[in-house]
Amino acid sequence: MSTVERLLKATEEIWAGYHEKPFVRGLGDGTLDVKKFRRYIIQDYWYLMDYTKVFAVGVAKSKSVEVMKLFAKYIQAILDGEVNVHNGYMADFGITQEELDHTPIAQDNRSYTSYMLSVAYRGGEAEVLTAIFSCAYSYEVIARQIVAERPDAPDHPLYGRWVRGYITERYTGNNVILKNMLEQLTADYTEAQLRELEEIFTACSRYEASFWDMAWEQRV
Ligand SMILES: Cc1ncc(C[n+]2csc(CCO)c2C)c(N)n1
């Protein structure tokens, strides 16, 4: 079994649960309260700011220019908003930098990003990539499932952009690059090292599940 197959197998139940989250179901069938979605977009802004820092620590931990370039490209892309579906929503909802600056990061969100940053500071390239991969790939899996259940979901006037953003060739192609790099870096990993990756991936997957609950319950 490849490393990524192993990580996905270990977290099968958590990942299956994503599709049942009320927030995710509401995104897919278009019934999600816009106020909840607006709050989620603001929280996700703060999430992405810290997520970018995880890549920056990845740059510092890189042992080859190939890995360094991979991490660095993401930093630029996220900050430029290129792969950030949220930019359009920020404009639509009239979310200003001032409002962002005055909205504190919610507790579940802070826990998640603090954990990823601690993994990044403590671990090496592969540990950083494992923390990153859970989040990047779960959005693709969720968006694909939404489209499988509702082929018209990408046309929804409000949530269609979210769905479309994570099934683009660009987004899914980047996930393939992350996956291949993770396989390459862990080809010689021992059982103990792989078990640690499993622990990181499981924790991040649970944090993703909590993020959906936080958004649904509008937890602060
Ligand atoms: C809580 C949370 N988890 C995952 C993503 C997905 N995601 C993380 S970074 C990024 C841009 C480049 O990969 C995307 C789409 C998110 N936005 N928010």
Side-chain angles (χ1 to χ4, degrees), residues 44 47-48 51 74 78 83 86 112 135-136 139 166 171 208 211:
D44 217 44
Y47 175 85
L48 290 170
Y51 187 75
Y74 264 92
I78 299 172
V83 285
H86 301 21
Y112 186 3
C135 116
Y139 270 43
Y166 301 117
Y171 190 72
E208 278 295 327
F211 204 97

Side-chain angles (χ1 to χ4, degrees), residues 40-145:
Y40 156 81
I41 291 293
I42 294 176
Q43 282 303 316
D44 217 44
Y45 167 81
W46 288 119
Y47 175 85
L48 290 170
M49 285 295 114
D50 275 347
Y51 187 75
T52 307
K53 292 183 188 177
V54 177
F55 281 91
V57 179
V59 170
K61 297 284 175 114
S62 296
K63 291 185 175 150
S64 69
V65 73
E66 189 190 5
V67 175
M68 193 183 265
K69 276 184 179 173
L70 183 152
F71 284 131
K73 249 174 62 186
Y74 264 92
I75 295 173
Q76 198 59 46
I78 299 172
L79 291 179
D80 282 348
E82 269 177 41
V83 285
N84 188 349
V85 177
H86 301 21
N87 263 7
Y89 287 122
M90 297 269 190
D92 288 358
F93 291 148
I95 299 169
T96 60
Q97 189 62 46
E98 201 191 354
E99 182 177 1
L100 292 171
D101 290 340
H102 286 93
T103 310
I105 185 165
Q107 184 98 325
D108 300 89
N109 194 359
R110 195 198 299 274
S111 301
Y112 186 3
T113 60
S114 302
Y115 174 73
M116 285 195 295
L117 281 164
S118 83
V119 166
Y121 281 120
R122 170 181 93 218
E125 297 166 311
E127 287 69 30
V128 180
L129 260 179
T130 299
I132 283 165
F133 189 67
S134 168
C135 116
Y137 187 51
S138 75
Y139 270 43
E140 175 185 335
V141 170
I142 290 169
R144 278 192 201 284
Q145 179 67 24

Side-chain angles (χ1 to χ4, degrees), residues 2 4 31-32 47 50 56 58 85 98 137 164 166 175-176 189 194 197 204 220:
S2 80
V4 170
T31 59
L32 180 64
Y47 175 85
D50 275 347
V85 177
E98 201 191 354
Y137 187 51
R164 290 195 302 274
Y166 301 117
N175 282 339
V176 173
Y189 257 34
L194 289 171
L197 294 188
C204 288
V220 292

